[in-house]
Amino acid sequence: MQCPCNPQNIYDECCKKAHLDIHSVTTAEVLMRSRYSAFVLANINYLQLSHHSSTKPTNKEKKEILQWTKSVDWIKLEVLNTTNNTVEFKAYFIENGRLNFIHENSYFEKENNHWVYVTAKN
């Protein structure tokens, strides 16, 4: 299977490593890519695990995210810029027959000795 974060990579050799062991994630970009793949694969447990404790979605929000991510067709991820703690990206998807995208500059930091998503930065 091709990896959702980059179809030139095989999932088993790319994001699956992060999904099986979050401590294997070495950079903010690797975490961001693995989170995108988790959205595509509806791996809500990984999304929760890779989220900072101060901004982690509630159980109700977790269910809503799972329902939404299963309701869209993910198209591709485009990484626009990366720094040590931020990743700017566009994630394209089809929802209700329309092409849409999320454009975000995400902020990451380490918590419990592994990278986590904290919030979107402006």
Side-chain angles (χ1 to χ4, degrees):
M1 172 177 134
Q2 293 175 310
C3 194
C5 87
N6 182 349
Q8 295 179 359
N9 294 335
I10 304 298
Y11 172 70
D12 287 352
E13 299 170 4
C14 194
C15 289
K16 184 176 182 179
K17 292 176 184 180
H19 293 166
L20 294 176
D21 178 13
I22 196 161
H23 293 283
S24 71
V25 174
T26 56
T27 67
E29 182 177 340
V30 170
L31 184 75
M32 189 265 131
R33 288 179 172 281
S34 69
R35 284 180 53 81
Y36 171 81
S37 292
F39 272 100
V40 173
L41 300 172
N43 184 344
I44 196 72
N45 291 329
Y46 182 78
L47 291 172
Q48 288 289 96
L49 179 65
S50 62
H51 215 291
H52 194 275
S53 60
S54 69
T55 57
K56 190 174 290 195
T58 65
N59 283 336
K60 181 182 178 198
E61 292 167 328
K62 178 181 169 181
K63 289 177 186 174
E64 291 168 354
I65 292 167
L66 180 60
Q67 183 179 10
W68 176 75
T69 196
K70 287 181 169 183
S71 74
V72 302
D73 292 319
W74 294 94
I75 305 300
K76 72 174 182 171
L77 172 66
E78 187 176 72
V79 175
L80 304 173
N81 190 36
T82 302
T83 68
N84 186 46
N85 288 77
T86 64
V87 180
E88 181 184 7
F89 68 91
K90 286 186 178 179
Y92 295 86
F93 59 93
I94 295 176
E95 184 174 27
N96 298 321
R98 290 196 157 130
L99 180 63
N100 236 320
F101 64 88
I102 298 166
H103 182 194
E104 183 174 304
N105 190 20
S106 298
Y107 176 73
F108 301 86
E109 63 184 43
K110 284 199 172 182
E111 180 180 58
N112 300 322
N113 296 317
H114 64 82
W115 284 99
V116 290
Y117 168 80
V118 181
T119 191
K121 289 187 81 170
N122 293 327

